[in-house]
Amino acid sequence: MAYPLPPPPSSLPHHMTRRSLLLLSTASTTTTATSAALSLPPTPTVTDRVFMDFSLCPNNFLPDRADTLSPLCSDSSLLGRVVLGLYGNLVPLTVSNFKSMCLGLNATTSSYKNTLVHKVFPGQYFLAGRQGRPDKGEVRPPHDLPRNTETVDPKAFALTHSRPGVVSLSLSENDDDDEIKLDPSYRNVEFLITTGPGPCPQLDNKNIVFGTVLQGLDVITAIASIPTYQPSERIRQFNDLAEFFGDGRAQNARNIWNRPLTTVYISDCGELKVAKPSLTPSLP
C-alpha cells in the first residue's frame, strides 16, 4: 500500500509567513533610519536678529567713566556692524537673555553696549561680555535676568562649533572671576564667536551654540587679526610652576594673556525686527 509523501520542510518557522518576514524587515529598516535621524543635530531656525557695532580705540579704555552710557573711548573708529541670527526655537532661554543684554530693557541699563572684547584667540574665537566693573568695560547683568536652566540641559549642547561665525554662550571658556561666579545672583552672559578659518571641536558639548553671523563676517575676521598679548615661554613656565604650588597670582597673571593690544569694544547693539522666522540660514 502506498502512503503519500510528507510535504517538504519549510525554511521558515511554522508561525512565520513571508508576509511577516517582509513586515519585520521593513520595521527593522525603519527603526534603524529613525535612530540615525535622532543622532543628527537639529536644524536651527533663525527666529531673531540682533546687531552689534564693533569699534576700535587707539588708546586704552578710560578708567574714569561715570556710567555705562558714556562712551568707552572719546576717539573711536567704527570697525563695522555684525548681524547675528539667533535660534530662539532651539534654546529660547539663552536667546531671550542674550537679547535682553543687547537691548538693556531690564530693571537697569545693563547691556553689552560699551563693553570690551576682552580675549582673542587667533584662528579660533574671541570672548566678550566679561562680568565685572562697567568702568573697566565689563558688563554687569541686571538682577532680574532670568536664570538660564538650559546650561544643565544636554539637548542645549546639540549644535557644534563647526565653522566661522558660530555664536555661543561661553561656559567652559568663561573668563569671569571666581568670586563673581560664587555670587548667588550670578548669571552667565559671556559669549564667544568663532573666527575660523576652521572649526573649534574643543568647544563642542561644553558651550551652548545659540546663533550665527548672518552679516559682517569680515568684521569678525578683522577682530581675529588684532595682535594680542602673548607671554614668553619663560613667563609661561614660571606661571605653571606658581600654579602648581597653589599661588593665586598665577591665575591673575593669565587674565591679561590673549588680550587685544588695541582696544576693541561693542559701541552699540540692538534688535533687528524679523517679519517671520527664516529657514536654515545661508551661512557666510
Side-chain angles (χ1 to χ4, degrees):
M1 182 176 178
Y3 294 94
L5 295 176
S10 173
S11 59
L12 299 177
H14 69 280
H15 61 279
M16 181 70 74
T17 65
R18 285 185 171 81
R19 174 179 172 80
S20 300
L21 185 61
L22 179 61
L23 292 175
L24 180 62
S25 175
T26 303
S28 176
T29 303
T30 303
T31 302
T32 303
T34 302
S35 300
L38 291 175
S39 64
L40 295 175
T43 301
T45 299
V46 171
T47 58
D48 306 89
R49 286 179 173 86
V50 299
F51 72 89
M52 284 187 168
D53 291 340
F54 291 90
S55 295
L56 297 175
C57 184
N59 303 312
N60 201 356
F61 58 86
L62 304 177
D64 56 348
R65 286 195 303 146
D67 54 65
T68 58
L69 296 180
S70 61
L72 185 66
C73 176
S74 58
D75 188 25
S76 64
S77 59
L78 180 65
L79 185 60
R81 170 165 292 192
V82 175
V83 176
L84 307 176
L86 310 180
Y87 306 144
N89 290 341
L90 185 63
V91 279
L93 287 174
T94 302
V95 167
S96 176
N97 283 357
F98 185 78
K99 282 181 57 181
S100 295
M101 293 302 299
C102 287
L103 299 173
L105 295 180
N106 289 274
T108 68
T109 56
S110 299
S111 77
Y112 291 127
K113 185 175 180 179
N114 291 327
T115 59
L116 296 171
V117 173
H118 59 275
K119 290 287 181 71
V120 176
F121 297 86
Q124 301 180 65
Y125 59 93
F126 67 75
L127 290 169
R130 174 182 167 87
Q131 293 190 44
R133 294 171 50 181
D135 62 329
K136 287 190 172 184
E138 298 169 337
V139 66
R140 181 177 297 159
H143 294 296
D144 61 341
L145 194 71
R147 185 176 296 277
N148 189 351
T149 56
E150 290 168 351
T151 58
V152 293
D153 184 357
K155 292 184 293 185
F157 297 82
L159 298 181
T160 60
H161 303 74
S162 57
R163 51 183 171 73
V166 171
V167 187
S168 181
L169 185 67
S170 180
L171 300 177
S172 68
E173 308 303 315
N174 188 286
D175 196 50
D176 295 337
D177 290 335
D178 290 339
E179 293 181 1
I180 294 177
K181 294 178 183 178
L182 293 175
D183 190 324
S185 62
Y186 175 76
R187 300 290 186 270
N188 188 358
V189 296
E190 188 172 335
F191 66 96
L192 63 86
I193 300 180
T194 58
T195 60
C200 293
Q202 75 276 18
L203 303 176
D204 295 344
N205 303 312
K206 301 175 184 177
N207 306 277
I208 300 177
V209 174
F210 66 91
T212 185
V213 174
L214 297 177
Q215 299 174 30
L217 192 59
D218 57 327
V219 179
I220 301 300
T221 304
I223 294 174
S225 66
I226 295 175
T228 60
Y229 171 70
Q230 298 296 328
S232 66
E233 185 60 30
R234 183 179 178 86
I235 291 178
R236 290 180 183 273
Q237 291 174 353
F238 275 121
N239 188 273
D240 291 341
L241 185 62
E243 185 179 34
F244 177 78
F245 286 108
D247 191 336
R249 291 174 295 180
Q251 178 60 47
N252 293 334
R254 286 198 299 272
N255 286 339
I256 64 172
W257 296 5
N258 294 102
R259 281 192 178 179
L261 296 181
T262 300
T263 300
V264 55
Y265 69 103
I266 302 169
S267 53
D268 198 8
C269 53
E271 183 179 14
L272 297 174
K273 293 297 184 180
V274 181
K276 61 181 179 179
S278 66
L279 299 177
T280 306
S282 56
L283 302 178

